[in-house]
Amino acid sequence: MRFTSSRLWALLSISAVLADSANALQARNDTVCLFGDESKAKAACAAISKSYPDQVFLPSTGNYTSESTAFWDQAAWLHPGCVVVPFTPENLAGAVEYLAKHNVTFTVRSGGHMPVAGHASLNQGVMIATTHFTEKTIVPLPNKYGVPHIRAGAAFRWQDLYEFLNPHGLVLAGGRVSSVGSSLLLGGGLSYFSGYRGWAANSVVNYEMVLANGTLVQVNNRTAPDLFWAMKGGTSNFGIVTRYDISIFSTGQMYGGTVTWATNHTQQYLDAQAAFISPGGGQDDPKAAIMPNFGYDPISKLNNSGTVLLYDGPDPNPKALENFTSIPTTFSTAKVQNFSEITASTSGYSPRDRRWSFYNIAVLSSPQTMDILYANIRNNADAILPGVNCSVGAAVQPITKSHLQAARNLGGDAIDLDPARGNFVIALIYGYWFDPRDDVKIKQWTDATLASIKKETEGKNLYYPWLFLNDAGQSQDPISTYGYGKSLAKMKAVSKMYDPMGIFQTSVPGFKLGYELHSC
């Protein structure tokens, strides 16, 4: 094993694995590059295939191709030594036991919406896909968790659950885009009901998961309260979830849908969101939610903007959303309808024909916030991306005090943000493009934009010191910002308790406990 920074020892803090692991780790600031061992991967693929026939796919087979490219982001299409698709959680447990014992790098893919290359797939290692974990079972009261819930195998996309629950008049606080998968819950997750139900993860009442030693366990507030807390935002640091038990609640029809606006209405949209997030604005009504976005094309110099609107009630003209609904639209599905119909309108949000970049920064809500974000995104695009066939922009997602208070009321989480610090927005700074030769240019734009937004917002006392894991990018370190830095030590202690050899810290890519680890 080789190290390029003595700081890696502090980052990993699991000396036994560092001493014995044959996986090469190369550190740069808070990001670590993981090099797998091709011979170990081949041996693992053969051994697991022998134990679990028809559950291992090798390169050049059709199933290997379909599973290894089932990613929204083409930049995430890598070359694992094989893909393991377990039939049962017990099969997965056996595979993990082998991989951990033989120190083989591996990773896990559920819905395939992870836009960080080298996290959910990898080179020279084993990729696990949860494709066969498809259980959907409604569990009414009375039950041991004290709330009605759904048992949902980890293979689901959110639209699967919404359409399954709709005939029963039920819904849950889950992902906002129909094609996103279950792992959204591991980063916290935003829902259209976050204003009064907190992070999507706060609705999980139990995790069925495989630990590093190959045991299959039920993790909830009674069986393992420390691990249960850490899983709410803890992503791939403690095990592999095979099933989520998620609380559900009754619902009726509500107002919502997707709307888009013409480029000449961009400032009106920015003003509408500025009003929504300002004191006394629409976000003060916890039943109101938006999933907004604005984009910019540096070739045509045209903007595009739109949002998903939702009001949890059958009011066809909700006052909380009036600044948006007053803008003339180029497209709209907004009306009073079933929740599953509203989320179905997002089906076009995840085309799989391009390369994507996600990074984020948090900014306090103010009348200036939207104009600051827009100006920095556009000015940097004009300076760095002339002639590049791409679109860049931001999805500016409001986080309210009521959201953070609801998260605490539901038992809390490792994210642990204080409602008293006020409302803020997560600015998902994104780009999509088509030519791999433009990767460097997009990264230059991203770095410049994040830096200029941070500089300006710090100067205006608007910077919020936290990163949202679900929207973080390669080299960002979201977990170190949890609880404004206070959660990390407890999460490391939980890791040492349930994964004493540090398998999920050194052999599995992702946002780790104090650094970012990606396959090279």
Side-chain angles (χ1 to χ4, degrees), residues 111 113 155-163 174-182 184 190 192 258 291 308 339-352:
H113 200 266
F156 71 79
R157 272 63 165 180
W158 288 102
Q159 192 67 18
D160 299 338
L161 299 191
Y162 300 146
E163 292 182 355
R176 299 171 299 167
V177 175
S178 61
S179 61
V180 170
S182 65
L184 170 137
L190 289 172
Y192 294 114
T258 296
M291 188 178 72
V308 176
F339 180 72
S340 60
E341 295 175 297
I342 296 171
T343 55
S345 73
T346 67
S347 61
Y349 280 42
S350 300
R352 295 177 182 259

Side-chain angles (χ1 to χ4, degrees), residues 63-79:
N63 285 334
Y64 172 94
T65 301
S66 62
E67 293 285 0
S68 64
T69 61
F71 289 92
W72 176 62
D73 174 18
Q74 286 191 353
W77 295 6
L78 301 181
H79 305 285

Side-chain angles (χ1 to χ4, degrees), residues 286-502:
K287 292 187 175 182
I290 59 174
M291 188 178 72
N293 165 74
F294 66 81
Y296 177 64
D297 182 333
I299 294 178
S300 69
K301 299 191 180 299
L302 295 177
N303 300 291
N304 60 80
S305 55
T307 188
V308 176
L309 301 170
L310 185 134
Y311 190 81
D312 188 9
D315 184 350
N317 297 292
K319 182 173 177 57
L321 301 174
E322 63 183 0
N323 288 329
F324 297 105
T325 56
S326 65
I327 307 172
T329 61
T330 55
F331 173 82
S332 176
T333 66
K335 60 181 179 180
V336 175
Q337 55 190 319
N338 292 329
F339 180 72
S340 60
E341 295 175 297
I342 296 171
T343 55
S345 73
T346 67
S347 61
Y349 280 42
S350 300
R352 295 177 182 259
D353 62 349
R354 60 200 68 182
R355 304 170 76 81
W356 286 89
S357 170
F358 274 23
Y359 286 80
N360 75 95
I361 189 170
V363 180
L364 288 170
S365 298
S366 80
Q368 306 171 67
T369 297
M370 293 304 297
D371 285 339
I372 290 171
L373 294 170
Y374 175 76
N376 279 280
I377 285 166
R378 179 160 182 165
N379 291 342
N380 283 305
D382 286 339
I384 297 170
L385 300 174
V388 176
N389 181 19
C390 66
S391 179
V392 295
V396 185
Q397 304 162 102
I399 306 297
T400 62
K401 291 183 286 186
S402 65
H403 167 153
L404 301 180
Q405 188 60 54
R408 290 191 166 186
N409 294 345
L410 288 167
D413 45 67
I415 298 167
D416 194 25
L417 300 182
D418 185 357
R421 291 207 180 192
N423 301 325
F424 66 95
V425 298
I426 302 165
L428 162 57
I429 307 300
Y430 75 84
Y432 71 74
W433 67 105
F434 302 91
D435 190 338
R437 292 173 295 184
D438 292 325
D439 289 4
V440 172
K441 280 286 187 183
I442 297 294
K443 186 62 166 62
Q444 290 174 345
W445 169 82
T446 301
D447 290 345
T449 301
L450 291 170
S452 62
I453 291 172
K454 185 177 182 183
K455 181 179 180 180
E456 184 170 355
T457 55
E458 284 182 330
K460 296 179 177 179
N461 294 318
L462 293 174
Y463 178 69
Y464 192 89
W466 177 74
L467 290 170
F468 183 36
L469 189 144
N470 290 113
D471 291 343
Q474 196 176 94
S475 78
Q476 291 194 309
D477 177 20
I479 291 178
S480 289
T481 69
Y482 284 9
Y484 315 105
K486 295 179 181 179
S487 294
L488 184 60
K490 182 178 177 181
M491 295 178 79
K492 286 183 175 181
V494 173
S495 172
K496 188 167 290 188
M497 173 71 71
Y498 294 95
D499 180 15
M501 294 302 295

Side-chain angles (χ1 to χ4, degrees), residues 261-291:
W261 300 294
T263 190
N264 59 311
H265 289 299
T266 299
Q267 189 59 51
Q268 196 172 349
Y269 151 68
L270 295 171
D271 293 343
Q273 186 161 352
F276 184 82
I277 65 175
S278 293
Q283 72 173 6
D284 287 355
D285 186 337
K287 292 187 175 182
I290 59 174
M291 188 178 72

